[in-house]
Amino acid sequence: GAKCLPGGTDCDDDDALVHPGATEIYDTKDTNCNGFVDEGLVPAGTIVVSEMMIDSNATLDAAGEWFEVTNVGSLPVNLASFTFKDKAPTNPNLFTIPPNARIVVEAGGTAVLCLNADYDQNGGVDCDYDYDNFQLANTADEVVVMLDTVEMDQVSYTGTWPNTQGVSASLDPNQLSVTGNNN
């Protein structure tokens, strides 16, 4: 297709269906070029936090932290434009995956998000995304998963969390839902 001049607002010059003002369709792309992928179309609870390593002993704690999300829906979900944060009232830890990223999680599939995606430095974890500005506290914290204004999932833990250094906490596969990880 024809290429647009640099500085335009079309976020994919190679796809005629993608442009500002387009109707957002569930296609794992930012169809309407507003900075969000499939917003308003991915139901709350589709992406859930399914496993967390909050206190690594295979490497430095900060280098070994990671969490996994699972797509419990029936369609693929691109994590591009998803925000992951804690609930701090001021200056929360958070990161947003850029809208042009391609981290597509198939139905029933998972993605691992890591503070350090370097396999040789993080304790041997294969990561799908390397984040900054977010750290899992060892005693009490939260992970809130958002797409635009929709809360997909939230996991909170306190000192009663089964926190053994070097052991991840994994959601029981029979509880793989937005309410299942509340327990």
Side-chain angles (χ1 to χ4, degrees), residues 68-111:
E68 173 191 84
V69 294
T70 298
N71 177 353
V72 298
S74 59
L75 297 172
V77 173
N78 187 354
L79 296 181
S81 72
F82 273 66
T83 295
F84 300 84
K85 64 182 186 171
D86 64 17
K87 296 191 314 185
T90 58
N91 200 22
N93 287 309
L94 66 88
F95 69 93
T96 300
I97 298 176
N100 61 347
R102 292 291 299 164
I103 306 169
V104 177
V105 183
E106 297 297 330
T110 62

Side-chain angles (χ1 to χ4, degrees), residues 95 103 112-118 127-132:
F95 69 93
I103 306 169
V112 178
L113 306 136
C114 301
L115 186 55
N116 183 337
D118 186 324
C127 300
D128 297 293
Y129 186 77
D130 186 350
Y131 58 80
D132 293 319

Side-chain angles (χ1 to χ4, degrees), residues 35-157:
F36 295 101
V37 175
D38 297 339
E39 76 280 358
L41 301 173
V42 179
T46 300
I47 296 293
V48 299
V49 177
S50 51
E51 189 171 4
M52 301 171 79
M53 172 61 78
I54 62 174
D55 191 8
S56 174
N57 70 349
T59 185
L60 295 174
D61 185 28
E65 288 185 5
W66 54 267
F67 62 95
E68 173 191 84
V69 294
T70 298
N71 177 353
V72 298
S74 59
L75 297 172
V77 173
N78 187 354
L79 296 181
S81 72
F82 273 66
T83 295
F84 300 84
K85 64 182 186 171
D86 64 17
K87 296 191 314 185
T90 58
N91 200 22
N93 287 309
L94 66 88
F95 69 93
T96 300
I97 298 176
N100 61 347
R102 292 291 299 164
I103 306 169
V104 177
V105 183
E106 297 297 330
T110 62
V112 178
L113 306 136
C114 301
L115 186 55
N116 183 337
D118 186 324
Y119 185 87
D120 294 327
Q121 295 177 12
N122 71 13
V125 178
D126 287 321
C127 300
D128 297 293
Y129 186 77
D130 186 350
Y131 58 80
D132 293 319
N133 304 319
F134 187 80
Q135 191 162 5
L136 299 168
N138 292 343
T139 56
D141 212 344
E142 319 75 35
V143 177
V144 181
V145 182
M146 302 285 300
L147 175 57
D148 193 14
T149 59
V150 176
E151 183 176 296
M152 289 287 145
D153 190 25
Q154 180 180 141
V155 173
S156 299
Y157 59 91

